[in-house]
Amino acid sequence: MMRSSTRSPPSQNASNRDDESESTTALPHVGTNHDGSRIILNLDVRAKRNECVFPRYPKWVIAFLQKKTNEPEDAWVVLTFLECFLLVVVPGVMLFFVDTNEKKKTRRSFWYGLLWFVITRALFLQRFTLALHYHTHVNAVRAKKSEHFKRCLNAIPTFVIAPFFGIPAGIYWYHHNAMHHVHGNAAYADLSSTERSRRDSAFDFFKYWMRFLFLAPIELSMNMLKYRGLVDAVRCYSNVAGSFAAWWYLNANVNASAANWTLAYTHVIASLGLMFGNWSQHIFVCPDDPRNDYKSTYTCINSFENQKTFDDGYHVQHHVDSRMHWSTFASNFSRKETLEKHAKEDALVFEGVHFFDVGLCVMLGKLDYLAERYVFYGQKKRTKEEIVMELKRRLEPIEYDIKRRR
């Protein structure tokens, strides 16, 4: 596993958060804006991490976590999980102990649940989802097969914390790692594929979201049966069924209001966020080569969202090598060899926007806005009008022979 050569370890980041003396000349040059009037440096390389809601922790806490994690930077992943457990899961469990026998207390349970829901979604949903995302690719805590306690710690985000964010226990790995990354947005095997949809259509996205919301448990289990076998199919379905059964029991026998706020309503919001995120990440797909990881997604640099999402904007690199550590994305992208490869494949790169921004711009017909944030780094030179035309071309639905898979 590579370690970042340009990013300081978390302990140094924590101690130097007020030090802004780094010269911009130390930042790697990426390219220019579309018309060449402005030079673009990669600011993400030295940007401060912002994944944790509370960014300052004692040095000894950081040092201790660094010794236990796969990479020093994974201390921030563990701290994100810790914040989510203490500030989302624990208060969420407490909602079930609000007595609902009387009408007045029923109202109180509702308002407590609403307050918990709004605050935790606003502060933690995005952070937790991306921490879970990279944790499922490479577990944050270093653990051998014989180290059962550490392996249990690695399971806590997936089985304990995730349900409070609307993600059924144990299901994320099957959908994201075992399906999406294996089949790479291919319509014949990836249930979350965007290829056949008209990706600038709000109605097409609505159908895409509804399919996931209502059919994903059954379709995903069938997908696992077809491509991975009976054992994974049973495990996948059992995880979903167990999560639903837990909600049903808590709703019927413990506290309906708390069960709905913590498990049901969170699932609706999570499904919307996950699906719009994936839709936006794979909104521009080159019809000439849709299986090409450089042409089925794009890269977002110099967005403040990267510092909240473990540099998730570098989605091309993530698909090219899903086990590349998130802390190396920015520095690796800025290497001459990487930029040359991106340029050869004509990969899209935008500056100052993130995936949700791109998705909303497409839905609102603001392709000229995206063209102004298009980065030229050595690929085919295009005018602003030509950039808009290329973006429109990559929005067209892709139809091909499923049997031949092309």
Side-chain angles (χ1 to χ4, degrees):
M1 181 68 65
M2 290 194 310
R3 292 178 183 265
S4 174
S5 59
T6 57
R7 179 172 292 164
S8 302
S11 59
Q12 294 180 3
N13 278 342
S15 61
N16 295 331
R17 287 189 177 279
D18 297 322
D19 185 4
E20 295 290 341
S21 62
E22 294 288 354
S23 171
T24 56
T25 57
L27 295 170
H29 174 269
V30 174
T32 66
N33 62 335
H34 71 281
D35 61 4
S37 62
R38 181 169 57 87
I39 293 175
I40 295 176
L41 306 177
N42 194 338
L43 306 180
D44 292 329
V45 171
R46 298 190 181 279
K48 298 175 182 178
R49 304 316 311 167
N50 193 33
E51 281 80 10
C52 292
V53 173
F54 302 98
R56 293 181 181 271
Y57 285 91
K59 291 182 180 180
W60 66 268
V61 172
I62 301 295
F64 173 79
L65 292 177
Q66 283 181 274
K67 295 178 182 178
K68 304 297 181 182
T69 53
N70 270 311
E71 295 291 325
E73 293 83 0
D74 282 332
W76 296 115
V77 176
V78 175
L79 286 170
T80 300
F81 289 148
L82 184 62
E83 288 184 349
C84 290
F85 182 81
L86 294 176
L87 301 175
V88 179
V89 176
V90 173
V93 171
M94 292 174 64
L95 291 176
F96 287 93
F97 294 93
V98 177
D99 193 353
T100 60
N101 291 329
E102 300 175 15
K103 291 185 178 181
K104 180 183 291 188
K105 293 181 179 179
T106 301
R107 297 193 199 100
R108 187 172 64 185
S109 180
F110 172 86
W111 289 112
Y112 283 171
L114 176 62
L115 184 63
W116 174 89
F117 181 85
V118 171
I119 293 175
T120 57
R121 297 317 93 176
L123 293 179
F124 296 102
L125 178 58
Q126 182 186 39
R127 290 176 164 95
F128 172 77
T129 303
L130 273 302
L132 178 67
H133 169 229
Y134 290 112
H135 177 69
T136 57
H137 283 285
V138 181
N139 286 340
V141 178
R142 190 187 308 113
K144 300 177 182 178
K145 287 187 177 180
S146 59
E147 296 178 315
H148 300 296
F149 177 72
K150 290 183 178 179
R151 294 181 68 188
C152 287
L153 289 178
N154 280 324
I156 289 175
T158 304
F159 288 92
V160 178
I161 305 176
F164 287 83
F165 285 93
I167 302 173
I171 207 68
Y172 188 89
W173 182 88
Y174 289 102
H175 192 277
H176 183 75
N177 298 55
M179 184 189 68
H180 179 61
H181 272 277
V182 170
H183 303 295
N185 201 47
Y188 60 81
D190 185 351
L191 300 175
S192 60
S193 172
T194 60
E195 288 182 346
R196 292 180 174 179
S197 302
R198 182 159 194 87
R199 295 178 294 281
D200 58 352
S201 166
F203 180 65
D204 272 28
F205 170 72
F206 179 76
K207 292 188 294 183
Y208 177 82
W209 173 33
M210 289 297 103
R211 178 186 178 185
F212 174 82
L213 183 61
F214 293 107
L215 300 180
I218 297 174
E219 287 190 325
L220 184 59
S221 299
M222 294 174 63
N223 185 280
M224 292 299 105
L225 179 63
K226 181 178 181 178
Y227 293 103
R228 293 186 64 88
L230 181 61
V231 173
D232 276 323
V234 171
R235 287 176 177 172
C236 178
Y237 185 78
S238 298
N239 287 335
V240 176
S243 296
F244 177 80
W247 167 80
W248 180 86
Y249 176 82
L250 293 170
N251 183 285
N253 300 291
V254 182
N255 187 320
S257 178
N260 288 330
W261 282 119
T262 57
L263 300 177
Y265 304 151
T266 56
H267 180 63
V268 175
I269 293 299
S271 67
L272 175 60
L274 289 169
M275 287 299 96
F276 190 70
N278 191 74
W279 177 277
S280 299
Q281 288 171 335
H282 296 279
I283 203 166
F284 295 122
V285 181
C286 181
D288 302 328
D289 194 6
R291 295 286 75 72
N292 189 330
D293 289 329
Y294 291 88
K295 296 183 178 182
S296 65
T297 185
Y298 54 94
T299 298
C300 296
I301 68 172
N302 296 348
S303 168
F304 72 93
E305 293 290 342
N306 277 342
Q307 282 69 65
K308 292 168 60 180
T309 60
F310 303 94
D311 279 342
D312 191 49
Y314 295 86
H315 205 63
V316 169
Q317 288 187 104
H318 179 58
H319 268 272
V320 170
D321 181 3
S322 64
R323 292 186 65 83
M324 180 184 291
H325 197 267
W326 62 268
S327 65
T328 68
F329 283 161
S331 57
N332 185 70
F333 173 79
S334 304
R335 293 169 58 224
K336 179 182 178 182
E337 297 84 357
T338 305
L339 290 173
E340 288 177 347
K341 178 63 176 176
H342 277 63
K344 180 181 178 181
E345 301 292 345
D346 197 19
L348 298 176
V349 179
F350 299 103
E351 184 209 20
V353 291
H354 212 252
F355 298 122
F356 274 44
D357 306 321
V358 173
L360 288 172
C361 283
V362 170
M363 292 293 187
L364 296 173
K366 301 293 185 181
L367 295 182
D368 55 336
Y369 179 87
L370 294 178
E372 293 173 357
R373 281 143 188 84
Y374 176 90
V375 179
F376 175 73
Y377 56 92
Q379 75 278 41
K380 177 183 177 181
K381 192 70 174 178
R382 295 182 173 96
T383 63
K384 182 178 178 180
E385 291 72 23
E386 289 172 334
I387 295 170
V388 171
M389 290 302 297
E390 178 62 17
L391 296 182
K392 287 182 178 179
R393 190 176 77 90
R394 298 195 186 196
L395 285 172
E396 291 296 323
I398 297 173
E399 297 293 343
Y400 55 91
D401 189 337
I402 294 180
K403 292 183 179 179
R404 299 178 65 185
R405 297 186 178 183
R406 67 180 186 181

